[in-house]
Structures are given as structure tokens and as C-alpha cells.
């Protein structure tokens, strides 16, 4: 064994030993520096890391896995320039603006409830809602609450105080608004609004009593330091749920030519975010198929994830809901057989 290898192994042991005592035993999430140490772990420590992340998830979140459906009320034609997003109207992307009607929305909520999902999230590709969208959402939420036994969440971009209060009064249970990436990397990803504007919406959502759902996308050219910074940003926000996406480079977007995040890096990041956010619902969102393939469903979930989106995502095809349902039995099992795959 070379000196360099010995050093790597020793420091890896240190990070995971500290994490076991601090996060698993005491429930205190990793700091930014500690998270960076985890993100720098060598591939031969990945199995040990995923195992610890899974133990942390089970201890602090329990064995349940939350399932959520997602529907696009207004698709495409967004005036913002988030460089990863095929719904921006500023890029040569294939997604054209379209609206869904209320009966279709209710039907989608019914189908989602049948899968066993407990959350149904209404999404619109907008900077923030205008009156037309607020009226559509109000009608949709009321119709769903009357006909379907499911919690309704919304993701409608940046909100004013008045809009936050109105959504809360409608009975919206959770609001999703992603910070997307570390504060220091955000200007490289979005130029039409700021990270701080997003933060302000999240603060108001919390103050209005709705659950906060906030995550982002990994693999957008951020450094490991910025990935750790993002985990620390989220830990400071303490959201109820963190959806983790991996960049699925969409043709025609400014990030269309970026490389897909290697599977080992994605898994390491999932586990690191779990160790930074021991009590949060950590959800696999878009991009997992392209990054992780079949690995993602099993190792990623066993490595700290405790929620999934069922069925299709907003603009790309996800896995059929049945495949996720098949996984639920496995999700309660302790990690095993990772060596067979790595
Ligand atoms: S605000 Fe949302 S829908 Fe609009 S470009 Fe950004 S990520 Fe896409």
C-alpha cells in the first residue's frame, strides 16, 4: 500500500467515525467542512458511507418512504433563464407553453393517490404566479380537496406575502421552491433573479405555516466545495423536504453539453446530504435514471433517501410508478449486497 493510499484510508475513517458518533448517535448534521470531507471520500469507502447514511435515515426518519406525484399545471414558456431548464422560453428547447384543465388535474390526483402516494404537487413553469394562475390553483386545490384524499403541495415560483397567505388559506400543505445550488454558484446558473429572492419566498412560506420543500440539482458544474456549501445552506434553512435532482442535460439549454454526474459521485452526494440533514425527507427527484440507472433506485434509496416521486417527471420520462412500488419492500431492508454491484 502506498503512502497516499494509507492517508486516504485514515482520513476516510476519521470522517465516518465522527459522522457515526455525531450524526447517527446524536442526530447532529455534518457541518460544511465535514460534508466536504465526505464528498472527498475515495470510491473504496462508498459502501461504508452509504451504509452509514442508511442507518442515519432509519434512525432519525424511520422506515417509511414517502411517495409523491407531480403534475404540471402550466408547462414551458417561462421568462426566467435557469440554465438547466427546458421550460425556459429563452432557450431553443422543445417544451412549448401549455395549460392543464381542472378535470385533468383532479384525475391526475386520483391516479396518484391510487399508487399510495400521500402528496400531490401542482407545478407551474413561471417566475411567480399571476392572478390567472392563482385562480387556477385555487380552483384546482379546492376540487382535489373535495374529491381526493391526498395532501396538496404547490411549486409556483417566487411569491409575494399576499400570495403566500392565500396559498396557506387554501390549505396547501407544502410549498416547493428550490434554491437549486450553492449561493456562490447560483449566478452561473440563473441571471434573471437572485438566490436571495428565492430565500425570501422560502422564509415567508415557513412563516405562514406551510411545510418547506427546497432542494436543487447536482452536477451543474459546481465544485465539491460548492456542493458542501449547498448542503450547509439547506441545513441552515432546515426544510421539511429536500428534493435532490441530478442534471439531465437537456438539448437546447445552456447546460445541454455538460457531462452527466458519474454514479459514484451522485451516490456520495446523496449520502453526504443525508449526513448533513439527518431528519429531513430526502427525495429522489428528476435525473436519477440517467445518472444512476438501476443502481439509483436501490443503492441511492438505501444510502439515505426516504422519498420518491412516482411516475413521470415534468419534462422527461421517469420510471413507471409500478417500478417504484416494487421497490418499497426493499427500502425497508438493511443495506446489503453492495459489493456485488460495485
Ligand atoms: S423559474 Fe422554474 S420553470 Fe422557469 S426557467 Fe427557472 S426552473 Fe425553469
Amino acid at each position: 500500500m502506498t503512502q497516499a493510499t494509507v492517508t486516504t484510508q485514515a482520513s476516510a475513517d476519521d470522517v465516518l467515525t465522527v459522522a457515526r458518533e455525531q450524526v447517527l448517535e446524536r442526530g447532529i448534521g455534518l457541518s460544511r467542512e465535514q460534508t466536504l470531507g465526505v464528498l472527498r471520500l475515495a470510491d473504496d469507502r462508498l459502501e461504508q458511507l452509504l451504509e452509514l447514511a442508511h442507518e442515519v435515515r432509519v434512525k432519525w426518519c424511520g422506515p417509511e418512504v414517502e411517495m409523491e406525484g407531480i403534475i404540471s399545471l402550466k408547462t414551458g414558456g417561462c421568462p426566467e433563464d435557469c440554465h438547466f431548464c427546458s421550460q425556459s422560453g429563452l432557450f431553443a428547447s422543445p417544451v412549448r407553453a401549455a395549460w392543464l384543465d381542472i378535470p385533468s388535474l383532479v384525475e391526475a390526483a386520483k391516479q396518484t393517490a391510487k399508487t399510495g402516494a400521500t402528496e400531490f404537487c401542482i407545478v407551474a413553469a413561471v417566475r411567480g404566479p399571476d392572478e390567472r394562475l392563482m385562480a387556477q390553483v385555487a380552483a384546482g386545490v379546492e376540487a382535489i380537496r373535495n374529491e381526493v384524499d391526498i395532501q396538496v403541495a404547490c411549486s409556483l415560483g417566487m411569491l409575494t406575502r399576499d400570495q403566500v397567505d392565500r396559498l396557506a388559506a387554501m390549505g396547501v400543505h407544502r410549498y416547493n421552491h428550490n434554491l437549486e445550488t450553492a449561493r456562490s454558484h447560483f449566478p452561473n446558473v440563473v441571471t434573471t433573479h437572485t438566490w436571495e429572492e428565492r430565500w425570501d419566498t422560502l422564509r415567508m412560506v415557513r412563516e405562514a405555516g406551510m411545510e418547506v420543500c427546497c432542494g436543487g440539482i447536482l452536477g451543474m458544474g459546481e465544485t465539491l466545495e460548492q456542493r458542501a456549501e449547498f448542503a450547509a445552506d439547506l441545513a441552515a434553512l432546515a426544510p421539511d423536504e429536500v428534493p435532490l435532482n441530478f442534471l439531465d442535460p437537456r438539448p437546447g439549454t445552456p447546460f445541454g453539453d455538460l457531462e452527466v454526474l458519474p454514479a459514484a459521485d451522485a451516490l456520495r452526494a446523496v449520502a453526504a446530504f443525508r449526513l448533513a440533514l439527518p431528519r429531513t425527507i430526502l427525495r429522489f427527484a428528476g435525473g436519477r435514471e440517467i445518472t444512476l440507472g438501476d443502481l439509483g433506485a436501490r443503492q441511492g434509496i438505501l444510502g439515505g433517501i426516504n422519498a420518491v416521486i412516482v411516475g413521470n417527471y415534468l419534462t422527461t420520462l421517469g420510471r413507471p410508478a409500478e417500478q417504484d412500488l416494487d421497490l418499497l419492500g426493499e427500502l425497508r431492508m438493511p443495506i446489503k449486497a453492495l459489493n456485488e454491484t460495485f
Side-chain angles (χ1 to χ4, degrees):
M1 193 179 280
T2 65
Q3 187 58 46
T5 310
V6 170
T7 305
T8 305
Q9 298 256 352
S11 60
D13 281 341
D14 289 342
V15 169
L16 293 183
T17 303
V18 169
R20 179 166 289 277
E21 191 278 324
Q22 175 182 321
V23 188
L24 182 64
E25 300 306 325
R26 292 191 285 135
I28 298 171
L30 294 187
S31 68
R32 179 169 164 177
E33 281 308 311
Q34 291 172 321
T35 304
L36 181 58
V38 169
L39 290 170
R40 285 179 172 156
L41 283 174
D43 282 357
D44 62 1
R45 311 308 303 220
L46 187 54
E47 180 188 342
Q48 192 184 347
L49 168 62
L50 294 175
E51 207 168 313
L52 176 60
H54 178 66
E55 284 182 69
V56 167
R57 186 275 274 191
V58 171
K59 171 150 184 187
W60 294 104
C61 302
E64 295 79 20
V65 174
E66 185 180 286
M67 297 178 69
E68 178 178 326
I70 186 166
I71 189 78
S72 184
L73 180 59
K74 186 255 172 182
T75 306
C78 180
E80 303 305 291
D81 76 343
C82 309
H83 291 13
F84 54 85
C85 182
S86 58
Q87 302 206 60
S88 169
L90 303 177
F91 314 140
S93 310
V95 178
R96 297 281 164 252
W99 285 77
L100 194 71
D101 57 50
I102 301 297
S104 304
L105 194 66
V106 174
E107 182 56 31
K110 283 182 183 165
Q111 294 303 324
T112 299
K114 274 188 196 163
T115 69
T118 53
E119 293 274 337
F120 181 70
C121 186
I122 301 170
V123 179
V126 289
R127 174 185 170 89
D130 57 12
E131 266 313 304
R132 177 189 176 192
L133 180 57
M134 286 298 288
Q136 280 282 92
V137 169
V141 171
E142 187 182 5
I144 292 168
R145 283 166 62 89
N146 285 339
E147 293 188 47
V148 192
D149 184 19
I150 198 163
Q151 303 265 33
V152 180
C154 283
S155 180
L156 313 172
M158 291 178 283
L159 302 173
T160 64
R161 167 76 62 182
D162 175 62
Q163 289 169 333
V164 169
D165 292 342
R166 284 162 69 190
L167 290 172
M170 287 175 208
V172 171
H173 168 247
R174 189 180 290 173
Y175 193 79
N176 163 260
H177 194 47
N178 291 337
L179 287 169
E180 305 298 8
T181 192
R183 187 180 196 150
S184 66
H185 190 49
F186 193 86
N188 302 318
V189 178
V190 184
T191 68
T192 47
H193 59 268
T194 63
W195 192 94
E196 287 75 13
E197 287 178 272
R198 291 192 175 221
W199 184 275
D200 284 347
T201 289
L202 292 159
R203 184 178 42 76
M204 289 189 289
V205 165
R206 158 84 35 80
E207 287 168 3
M210 285 184 278
E211 287 193 2
V212 173
C213 171
C214 177
I217 305 178
L218 305 179
M220 295 198 294
E222 75 278 4
T223 62
L224 288 188
E225 286 78 4
Q226 287 170 322
R227 218 168 275 168
E229 178 191 339
F230 183 38
D233 288 340
L234 291 173
L237 179 68
D240 299 280
E241 174 187 346
V242 171
L244 270 191
N245 302 266
F246 305 109
L247 182 72
D248 179 358
R250 306 309 299 159
T253 64
F255 286 170
D257 293 329
L258 286 188
E259 301 273 324
V260 170
L261 200 63
D265 288 352
L267 291 171
R268 207 169 0 247
V270 168
F273 275 63
R274 167 52 71 208
L275 296 182
L277 298 151
R279 292 177 177 79
T280 302
I281 299 169
L282 196 55
R283 182 186 304 280
F284 255 151
R288 80 177 200 248
E289 290 78 14
I290 185 169
T291 305
L292 299 173
D294 282 345
L295 274 184
R298 288 174 170 75
Q299 269 94 333
I301 289 168
L302 293 171
I305 290 283
N306 65 332
V308 291
I309 288 178
V310 291
N312 293 345
Y313 305 136
L314 295 178
T315 60
T316 56
L317 204 58
R319 299 150 53 89
E322 294 74 23
Q323 287 186 32
D324 284 320
L325 292 173
D326 288 345
L327 274 172
L328 287 180
E330 296 178 34
L331 301 182
R332 294 177 176 82
M333 293 165 57
I335 215 161
K336 65 174 187 179
L338 285 177
N339 279 330
E340 293 170 17
T341 333
F342 279 103

